[in-house]
């Protein structure tokens, strides 16, 4: 199985900050990573797929990069509604696996 | 409008069985990749199972042999039959739809809570 190691597990940031979350796959997965945002009590929402493709309707301050084993989700200018937990997921092979999550908290 | 509504969760004793349902509207479940994802209380996301449009199925290691994913085209509903339930199966179970596997899970239901406890 492919393990997805996400870091950091939490980050404290202020509105307007740039935030980067990384995910490392235990083996090469090409571009097959998706990123999700989840708010408490809600279902996840896909932000990025295929490493860098922005899901329709998602603000352009979210971007994704990487290939192979190393991937990054970047929020360019943190907004109040961005405080949430973020997960990466590899979509390269079964079983599909998620990273452990990164909680973005208000500093 | 695409909508997914899960039901069937509840309290069940260890070793018991439960069937979850996911009623879909706005699209045809048999023409799409449909999946179940779960989240234990206070924990991260765990992929459970997927069914392809051709009926092929795949499962996570922790549920293989105990859970079965299937669908009913006449009711446009996805199901998850869960047998031999354990405490570690306690979670909110979400159904999700993806247009392509690589595109991730674009549509999600609201989730249904399964609690396995004596």
């Amino acid at each position: 199985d492919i393990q997805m190691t996400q870091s950091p597990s939490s980050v404290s940031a202020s509105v307007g900050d740039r935030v980067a979350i990384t995910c490392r796959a235990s083996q090469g997965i090409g571009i097959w990573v998706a990123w999700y945002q989840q708010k408490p009590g809600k279902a996840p929402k896909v932000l990025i797929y295929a490493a860098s493709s922005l899901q329709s309707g998602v603000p352009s301050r979210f971007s994704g990069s990487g290939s192979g084993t190393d991937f990054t989700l970047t929020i360019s200018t943190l907004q109040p509604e961005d405080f949430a937990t973020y997960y990466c997921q590899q979509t390269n092979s079964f079983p599909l696996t998620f990273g452990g999550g990164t909680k973005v908290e208000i500093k | 409008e695409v909508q997914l509504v899960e039901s069937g969760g509840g309290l069940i004793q260890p070793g018991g069985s439960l069937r979850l349902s996911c009623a879909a509207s706005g699209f045809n479940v048999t023409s799409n990749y449909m999946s179940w994802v779960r989240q234990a209380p206070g924990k991260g996301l765990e992929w459970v199972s997927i069914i392809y449009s051709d009926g092929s199925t795949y499962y996570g290691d922790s549920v293989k042999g105990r859970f079965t994913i299937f669908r009913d085209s006449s009711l446009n509903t996805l199901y998850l039959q869960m047998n031999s339930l354990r405490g570690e199966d306690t979670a909110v179970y979400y159904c999700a739809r993806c247009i392509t596997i690589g595109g991730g899970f674009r549509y999600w239901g609201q989730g249904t809570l399964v609690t396995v406890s004596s």
Side-chain angles (χ1 to χ4, degrees):
Chain A
D1 298 0
I2 297 173
Q3 309 304 315
M4 300 296 285
T5 303
Q6 196 173 332
S7 62
S9 57
S10 66
V11 57
S12 293
S14 301
V15 172
D17 284 353
R18 181 183 183 89
V19 172
I21 299 167
T22 64
C23 212
R24 175 163 288 177
S26 58
Q27 63 190 74
I29 56 172
I31 61 167
W32 302 113
V33 161
W35 290 94
Y36 298 85
Q37 177 194 67
Q38 187 180 33
K39 296 182 178 179
K42 301 293 187 182
K45 170 187 171 183
V46 64
L47 303 173
I48 301 285
Y49 63 93
S52 61
S53 295
L54 190 68
Q55 178 61 45
S56 175
V58 173
S60 59
R61 63 181 179 273
F62 291 94
S63 64
S65 63
S67 66
T69 59
D70 294 315
F71 302 87
T72 302
L73 172 71
T74 301
I75 310 171
S76 60
T77 307
L78 201 63
Q79 297 299 302
E81 59 268 30
D82 300 338
F83 292 96
T85 301
Y86 294 83
Y87 295 93
C88 61
Q89 178 201 28
Q90 65 84 13
T91 58
N92 180 74
S93 61
F94 295 116
L96 306 179
T97 44
F98 289 91
T102 296
K103 187 173 185 179
V104 177
E105 301 174 298
I106 301 172
K107 183 184 284 185
Chain B
E1 180 191 3
V2 172
Q3 196 169 14
L4 297 167
V5 179
E6 301 96 335
S7 61
L11 176 63
I12 186 76
Q13 291 190 334
S17 296
L18 204 60
R19 179 178 293 179
L20 305 183
S21 301
C22 173
S25 56
F27 71 100
N28 191 329
V29 295
T30 58
S31 303
N32 286 266
Y33 300 100
M34 297 296 299
S35 194
W36 290 95
V37 177
R38 69 185 182 182
Q39 186 168 36
K43 302 297 183 182
L45 301 170
E46 180 186 12
W47 175 75
V48 172
S49 181
I50 195 166
I51 184 165
Y52 280 21
S53 55
D54 69 1
S56 301
T57 58
Y58 299 88
Y59 297 91
D61 295 342
S62 62
V63 307
K64 203 174 296 183
R66 300 188 299 124
F67 290 11
T68 303
I69 189 172
F70 62 102
R71 62 202 178 189
D72 185 323
S73 59
S74 64
L75 295 177
N76 206 31
T77 298
L78 176 73
Y79 298 95
L80 185 68
Q81 178 66 42
M82 305 186 295
N83 299 331
S84 303
L85 282 162
R86 307 166 180 166
E88 54 265 37
D89 296 319
T90 294
V92 173
Y93 285 74
Y94 296 99
C95 69
R97 171 196 177 197
C98 49
I99 308 301
T100 63
I101 303 298
F105 298 126
R106 189 180 301 186
Y107 303 98
W108 296 70
Q110 85 287 352
T112 187
L113 176 62
V114 173
T115 303
V116 183
S117 175
S118 54

